[in-house]
């Protein structure tokens, strides 16, 4: 790995500051988790994302069990934990980013069941996708409580086996990768594509071109209904 | 409180620099105050917001009386002080932010007496609000002098008991919270919602969905006229 | 003056870095000068604005005579110098900012001979203007060479005695103030107003309201033709 | 040269961080190379652009031969290398920037074979161009693999002898200059012009005015077909 090693808690704090500057996490929204062997390091809930400190982190097991907690008794683990674990357990993700980017939210307001674009170079930054592919991201409906999203998120992950992201209507996106670098790269590419698609729609330009190299729904998008859990 | 303690004057300088980068305070506009026991720490008027120093701060009482002033005789306390005290005295706010964000101003140009949105995840970041609620922010008319806004601001605070913000037409917004963290979180969420609503209007998408869980004007928005002072 | 003293050359470098981040100066465009007694400190031409160093500055007299130059023989003083001197000599400006902000350029494409807005709080940040005033900024036509703008700029400064800025069509703006703080505050307010007017036009909202308190062209805008030089 | 000398590898890392903040490089996309005598210093492929380190750089010859590589065996040189060499060998470029800016991509979606603007001051920042010139940037079609772009890029460089940039449809732009300062200045000016043209189109304003001083296709744009390689 060409990047210098950083302790997971410190790395989460560092990334969260940079995601705050990008507009992905703010208010009480958004977050990130990192897998570290059999542990998953997650930030506390309701703490300002750009001002977190490494000693405030929680560690949970792959089954969600609490393994370690910060000294401060007022802190609780992120409400996203159950959702983060879906991508970790169903896809082997090493890191998951939850973004409240306005580009993601606008994309969910302009597309129905699936976000899709084709023929944009940035698509190549998403693992397993080529330039001419139709890139599809499933959109699930939001729920009143974040933990109630877990089941629908898990179903979408299974039903769209090629995706590395799930959009949540009027809410944001969950984006993952094999390690934190892949997750961050995916998040940058997806956010760019959400923004580009919104601007293309505004300019009256179709977001999917005819004649893509990989346009069949089985291979690019949703798996057959027989595969759904 | 999971955040490290900072002396109020230093914290105001730190936050003002970050609000400058967000476009909430600039020119001579915008500001922030922090309650510290029975004192309220306020910045001077007409000083560049991103270059203030802790020794330039004023302290006033909850009745507006001047308790402490900086050595520099040229400095005067912020013209927002009377407005800040409305939120502090009528709502027990621990911090108040005055934003000139262009998203707030554009929202006041696109909505009439009330700004309202529903079914956006960021609404959950506003205390006392759920995802499906109709979030309402009253809009008061601007006045030639900032101090003349105080009465209308106080009336709106009383008439809309669930709001944590008041928009001022063609001017900006006053946003508060129980402490500086809550006020800053509210400001981030409201600003996001102002921007999202402007983009939704531009795209022809209604900002309020039918069937919200909390759509009655009594509970979400303006109190009955009998309650008005 | 409540700000800490900075040596003019160092202050220019500091401000230019911050204006680069705001998008006001980039490429080879934009700049700033500061008056220091009978000298005017100006940056070199064609140097990257965000990477200038204090020892690269020039000093010129109020008549444009070169008083001091950097050791590096390859450097020439900014091509804006003759334009900067117009605001200094005709208005007593202590600092002049030349911005290439895209908001300024878009404003010159959407307005004819004059940019005008009224009833926006940020107007109060421009010296001598109240909230209900019609704020007017003259727009002069661009020329192939920057030095050829000086005469038209001087005429506009005389003909619009209340303005602290002149827009240059398809080019940008010259903005000044009594000292660097006033010039920077004006530049922040004008840039905000240029952006707001562009967004208002896009949304179909008039930029000037009827019934302003100060709508006569003599007092807010252009002086009578008899006053023109 | 008025800038302080920086070792090429360190300079690439420094510039890449700043281009990341500008949105020109992100995900796995975009990059920069610097010529250093008979060597060209290029960054590795697939590394986060804003977190690169000088010891990760490659050096290649003007014929593409690998001259030096980093110790880390997992690193491979940027896939842009063959494209960078086109501008270096055909135009004597000292630095080449590959941008994924969304403004560049939107410009390729709104123009056909050529991007063109005239009468914008920022055009003067492009070497060899005056304010009234029609600035033309050829647009080549994207390919599935980045290395397959090299031939079309080389042809465009030859066919449009006055350009310092080539746009790649739905992908981004390659921009160069005589040294890194000229390349960066060109990149800032071109990106500004791409954005301005997109905003002008959105507002219904033509991007080229009649009566430019240099409107003939031979002198401003594409060379005669006889010149094509």
């Amino acid at each position: 790995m060409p990047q210098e090693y950083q302790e997971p808690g410190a790395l989460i704090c560092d990334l969260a500051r940079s995601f705050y500057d990008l507009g992905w996490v703010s208010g009480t929204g958004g977050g990130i988790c990192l897998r570290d062997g059999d542990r998953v390091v997650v930030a506390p809930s309701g703490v300002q994302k750009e001002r977190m400190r490494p000693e405030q982190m929680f560690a949970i097991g792959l089954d969600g069990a609490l393994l370690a907690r910060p000294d401060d008794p007022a802190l609780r683990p992120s409400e996203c934990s159950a959702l983060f674990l879906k991508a970790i357990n169903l896809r082997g993700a090493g890191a998951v980013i939850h973004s409240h980017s306005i580009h993601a939210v606008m994309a969910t307001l302009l597309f129905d069941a699936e976000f899709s674009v084709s023929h944009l170079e940035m698509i190549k930054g998403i693992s397993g996708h080529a330039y001419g592919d139709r890139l599809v991201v499933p959109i699930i409906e939001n729920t009143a409580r974040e933990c109630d999203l877990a089941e629908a998120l898990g179903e979408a992950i299974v039903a769209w086996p090629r995706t590395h992201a799930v959009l949540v209507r009027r809410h944001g996106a969950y984006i993952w990768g094999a390690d934190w670098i892949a997750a961050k790269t995916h998040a940058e590419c997806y956010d760019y594509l959400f923004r580009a698609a919104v601007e293309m729609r505004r300019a009256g330009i179709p977001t999917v071109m005819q004649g893509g190299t990989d346009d069949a729904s089985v291979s690019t998008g949703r798996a057959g209904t027989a595969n759904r859990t």
Side-chain angles (χ1 to χ4, degrees), chain A:
Chain A
M1 195 177 70
Q3 308 294 328
E4 280 183 80
Y5 178 77
Q6 272 189 284
E7 185 273 318
L11 182 54
I12 286 178
C13 297
D14 188 20
L15 291 171
R17 266 190 299 275
S18 127
F19 295 167
Y20 180 83
D21 291 337
L22 291 167
W24 296 355
V25 303
S26 73
T28 56
I32 181 171
C33 76
L34 298 183
R35 182 170 177 173
D36 185 29
D38 290 338
R39 302 153 63 95
V40 180
V41 182
V42 298
S45 175
V47 173
Q48 296 177 93
K49 304 307 181 201
E50 80 284 13
R51 289 172 181 252
M52 297 191 299
R53 298 193 308 272
E55 64 268 27
Q56 296 178 319
M57 299 297 131
F58 288 80
I60 60 176
L62 298 180
D63 57 356
L66 186 63
L67 302 181
R69 57 163 297 125
D71 292 337
D72 184 335
L75 295 175
R76 290 168 299 115
S78 167
E79 292 177 15
C80 304
S81 301
L83 292 113
F84 287 153
L85 288 172
K86 289 289 181 189
I88 291 169
N89 287 317
L90 293 171
R91 284 291 170 80
V96 189
I97 295 167
H98 176 40
S99 165
H100 276 205
S101 164
I102 203 152
H103 306 304
V105 168
M106 288 306 294
T108 71
L109 294 169
L110 295 172
F111 287 82
D112 287 331
E114 289 181 346
F115 168 89
S116 64
V117 288
S118 77
H119 296 86
L120 289 168
E121 178 70 9
M122 208 58 113
I123 292 171
K124 287 167 62 175
I126 308 296
S127 304
H129 288 76
Y131 165 68
D133 284 356
R134 188 165 71 94
L135 176 91
V136 175
V137 182
I139 305 177
I140 63 175
E141 300 306 318
N142 199 27
T143 52
R145 295 194 310 164
E146 193 130 18
C147 54
D148 293 337
L149 278 175
E151 187 176 335
L153 184 78
E155 286 180 3
I157 288 173
V158 171
W160 278 265
R162 288 186 62 196
T163 193
H164 303 274
V166 174
L167 283 160
V168 184
R169 184 100 57 209
R170 297 171 168 272
H171 180 155
Y174 282 85
I175 302 166
W176 61 86
D179 55 25
W180 73 269
I181 296 172
K184 173 173 168 286
T185 299
H186 280 166
E188 289 170 352
C189 293
Y190 277 117
D191 199 62
Y192 180 102
L193 294 166
F194 298 150
R195 178 180 174 192
V198 170
E199 296 204 13
M200 289 168 78
R201 281 279 174 102
R202 189 177 293 161
I205 300 166
T207 61
V208 174
M209 281 178 70
Q210 297 298 321
T213 55
D214 206 350
D215 205 6
S217 64
V218 173
S219 58
T220 62
R222 185 172 183 169
T225 50
N227 285 359
R228 297 192 72 183
T229 53

